[in-house]
Amino acid sequence: MSLAALQTLLDRSTATASPAVADSVAYPDRQMTAAELVEFWKSARIMAMTTVGPNGQPHTAPVHSTLDGATLSLVVYDNTVRRADIRTNPRVSFTTWKDGAVAILYGQAREVPDSLRETRPGRSGRPRNVVTIQVALTRAYAMRAPDPAATAGPAARS
């Protein structure tokens, strides 16, 4: 895993963040390091993934994914809207949050060739297939949870 590549991406994203993002997510006091982001992402049970359809319609769905350096990997069912969206528009985004910490990742998705495989049947009992998707991250923002001592009033800190 390349923590250096992820750290470079985090630093570049923070340095070029829009004013709204810089003021709400990408600011130095709470910026996660690459190592912190990897641990946070591992601890997240689920992420929201957004793709965009051919008519500009966003599609958001829960997924599980693995962060390895500046690459995300995940599997999707072969008959999902996400898979069709990625074929026509590879731009995707992900977010997850917990206890005031948040990560927002953007990237370019591609289906891994020859990754189609059978998986467990669905509720209907019919067989299902999945494909592997890899996402080359293009932007990443990751903010630590607030420090309770920093947000407590003077009486709470004494």
Side-chain angles (χ1 to χ4, degrees), residues 32-74:
M32 284 186 198
T33 65
E36 289 171 327
L37 174 55
V38 168
E39 287 307 309
F40 176 67
W41 204 260
K42 280 183 194 176
S43 74
R45 294 187 42 140
I46 204 156
M47 300 84 191
M49 176 186 189
T50 301
T51 58
V52 178
N55 295 325
Q57 178 67 34
H59 299 114
T60 301
V63 297
H64 300 279
S65 66
T66 303
L67 178 60
D68 184 12
T71 302
L72 274 178
S73 296
L74 61 142

Side-chain angles (χ1 to χ4, degrees), residues 60-133:
T60 301
V63 297
H64 300 279
S65 66
T66 303
L67 178 60
D68 184 12
T71 302
L72 274 178
S73 296
L74 61 142
V75 296
V76 299
Y77 294 112
D78 68 332
N79 60 351
T80 61
V81 171
R82 288 181 305 281
R83 184 182 187 203
D85 286 352
I86 289 167
R87 287 179 173 157
T88 60
N89 183 348
R91 293 181 301 173
V92 296
S93 65
F94 298 82
T95 189
T96 193
W97 57 93
K98 181 180 179 184
D99 300 328
V102 65
I104 305 167
L105 308 178
Y106 298 87
Q108 296 280 327
R110 70 173 185 84
E111 187 173 314
V112 175
D114 302 317
S115 65
L116 181 69
R117 65 185 182 281
E118 195 171 312
T119 191
R120 68 186 185 284
R123 186 173 175 93
S124 67
R126 290 188 295 270
R128 295 190 294 182
N129 294 309
V130 292
V131 295
T132 301
I133 303 292

